């Protein structure tokens, strides 16, 4: 997964993190960088859609 971090010197950088990590904005990495955004890959988005986490239309069955 791609994450955007803010380094201790204030610079922002996009880095690759293994997909088996569970990270969210605000988490601090070992080097002191703070995660400010987590970006999902297209594969992650396709998986989420196929599992029903996201839908284009409102699901009336759940209301």
């Amino acid at each position: 997964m791609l994450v955007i971090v803010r380094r201790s010197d204030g610079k922002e950088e996009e880095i690759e993190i293994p997909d088996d990590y569970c990270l969210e904005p605000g988490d601090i990495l070992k080097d002191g960088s703070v995660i400010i955004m987590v970006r999902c890959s297209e594969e992650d988005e396709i998986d989420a859609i196929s599992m029903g986490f996201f839908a284009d239309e409102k699901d009336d069955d759940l209301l």
Side-chain angles (χ1 to χ4, degrees), residues 4 11 14 27 31-32 42 44 46 48-49 58 60:
I4 298 176
K11 293 181 182 177
E14 185 175 82
D27 287 347
D31 65 358
E42 276 188 36
D44 291 340
I46 290 170
I49 291 169
K58 184 166 56 172
D60 292 331

Side-chain angles (χ1 to χ4, degrees), residues 6-17:
R6 182 169 293 125
R7 302 279 183 198
S8 57
D9 62 3
K11 293 181 182 177
E12 292 181 5
E13 181 180 357
E14 185 175 82
I15 61 172
E16 181 79 25
I17 300 285

Side-chain angles (χ1 to χ4, degrees), residues 21-37:
Y21 286 95
C22 182
L23 299 171
E24 60 185 42
D27 287 347
I28 300 173
L29 302 178
K30 289 181 182 180
D31 65 358
S33 300
V34 178
I35 295 177
I36 56 174
M37 184 184 297

